[in-house]
Amino acid sequence: MSKLEIGALTALCAIHDHGGVSRAAAVLVLSQSAISHKIKRLEDTLGCALLDRRPGHPRFTQEGAKLLSYARRILALHDEALHALSTEPLSGLIRLGVTEDMTSGGVSRVLGRFTRLYPAISVQISVAQSRVIAQRLNRGELDAGVFQVFANDRQPDDVTLIEDSLHWVKSPDLILDLARPVPLLAFDNDCYYRDWVLHHAQQPAAGFRIVMECASIAGMRSAIRAGLGVTLLNGRHIEAGFEELTDHFPPPPDLAFVIRTGPKPRNATVMALIKIVAGERDWHPDADVGKAC
């Protein structure tokens, strides 16, 4: 009977999480040819293609995507068994930054599981907006962060958790007069959506006029429903009844939710956390909690 190799399953997950063979090789400290060989051997064992190597096609075949789900469960149990039988349990402190909307999704569930698996590791959680977390990581004030970035701003070592898109939205009750400044619902100064809209995006003919500033996604959605203005929301926070705008507004960049580490080399405790966070596949937030950026 054929057997699935742990190393090959690890390579498969790394290709997905890091966006390709070359990035997976860098993270796993292997050559690209070694990663490719592991995947080819896995494909030969299963008798099907796992990666679609044609340009412009999804990275994983249907069979590869199906195996990816099994691989995560197998690797999670594998790591759990190693931890349970280890004579040298991991210990230490991890300073973790997370955005508020991620605490209401998979992060809270993952951290609960992590603390049960590694009771000797203390996780100190700081909740902040994405830009603040990135800055604190750069200054070495955090060991890891779970937050949003524009997809094109991902760094080579980032682990992508999910991808999403931004959308211009308003209430159907709000009638826009594009000959006048567009009423804008803006998040606070630490939000990089706001920075992009005001300083990098092509402006409407009459520009924007900020009518409300609010850091809360719940407050922002209430303002949209009331017809106070237009704003940018990621797809996770758009609710039924919101009208999406495309004409006369600049196309927003795509988003990625990532886990990123600070400038120090990743130690065993941080790597353990990354493995568990990256293994979580359900990142849906609760209905009215959190900040969008």
Side-chain angles (χ1 to χ4, degrees), residues 5 30-31 40 63 99 102 109 115 118 120 123 129 147 149 167 185 187 202-203 227-228 240-241 259 265 269 281 287:
E5 297 180 1
L30 295 170
S31 66
K40 182 63 169 63
E63 291 79 9
T99 57
M102 294 302 280
R109 183 168 49 254
T115 54
Y118 300 99
V123 182
Q129 290 182 262
F147 59 101
V149 295
H167 305 266
L185 308 173
F187 291 99
Q202 182 178 351
Q203 304 291 295
L228 295 182
I259 180 166
T269 57
R281 307 321 299 166

Side-chain angles (χ1 to χ4, degrees), residues 168 176-179 182 202-208 230 245-251:
W168 290 103
L176 294 176
D177 180 0
L178 296 177
V182 174
Q202 182 178 351
Q203 304 291 295
F208 288 107
V230 306
L245 305 170
T246 53
D247 295 339
H248 309 294
F249 287 84

Side-chain angles (χ1 to χ4, degrees), residues 12 46-51 60-70:
L12 188 75
L46 296 172
C48 61
L50 301 174
L51 300 181
F60 286 81
T61 64
Q62 184 176 356
E63 291 79 9
K66 184 183 296 185
L67 179 61
L68 188 67
S69 176
Y70 285 110

Side-chain angles (χ1 to χ4, degrees), residues 48-88:
C48 61
L50 301 174
L51 300 181
D52 192 334
R53 297 165 175 84
R54 295 174 297 175
H57 286 254
R59 182 169 287 114
F60 286 81
T61 64
Q62 184 176 356
E63 291 79 9
K66 184 183 296 185
L67 179 61
L68 188 67
S69 176
Y70 285 110
R72 295 194 186 282
R73 291 156 58 189
I74 292 169
L75 292 174
L77 284 173
H78 175 268
D79 292 345
E80 201 168 310
L82 287 178
H83 167 70
L85 298 174
S86 174
T87 57
E88 297 181 5

Side-chain angles (χ1 to χ4, degrees), residues 103-245:
T103 65
S104 64
V107 166
S108 295
R109 183 168 49 254
V110 168
L111 293 179
R113 178 167 176 251
F114 182 80
T115 54
R116 290 191 295 272
L117 282 173
Y118 300 99
I121 298 178
S122 298
V123 182
Q124 178 180 309
I125 302 170
S126 298
V127 179
Q129 290 182 262
S130 294
R131 175 180 282 181
V132 175
I133 293 173
Q135 291 169 347
R136 294 189 64 192
L137 281 169
N138 290 337
R139 294 195 298 263
E141 297 172 2
L142 295 172
D143 301 304
V146 180
F147 59 101
Q148 298 180 44
V149 295
F150 289 138
N152 289 339
D153 293 336
R154 280 178 285 192
Q155 297 182 1
D157 288 342
D158 286 349
V159 177
T160 300
L161 304 177
I162 53 173
E163 296 180 337
D164 203 347
S165 53
L166 276 175
H167 305 266
W168 290 103
V169 296
K170 72 175 185 67
S171 166
D173 297 330
L174 174 63
I175 307 301
L176 294 176
D177 180 0
L178 296 177
R180 304 177 63 184
V182 174
L184 178 68
L185 308 173
F187 291 99
D188 64 23
N189 287 325
D190 288 325
C191 177
Y192 67 104
Y193 296 5
R194 173 190 175 123
D195 180 68
W196 179 81
V197 169
L198 297 180
H199 303 295
H200 302 284
Q202 182 178 351
Q203 304 291 295
F208 288 107
R209 172 175 59 91
I210 296 178
V211 297
M212 189 183 83
E213 294 180 330
C214 178
S216 163
I217 186 62
M220 189 64 72
R221 292 198 294 197
S222 293
I224 297 169
R225 289 192 291 267
L228 295 182
V230 306
T231 194
L232 280 177
L233 285 184
N234 66 54
R236 292 153 51 86
H237 293 301
I238 295 177
E239 62 184 51
F242 285 0
E243 179 183 337
E244 296 186 30
L245 305 170

Side-chain angles (χ1 to χ4, degrees), residues 4-12 28 30 35 38-39 41 75:
L4 299 175
E5 297 180 1
I6 292 296
L9 297 180
T10 300
L12 188 75
L28 297 177
L30 295 170
I35 295 290
K38 287 178 182 292
I39 299 302
R41 191 164 55 192
L75 292 174

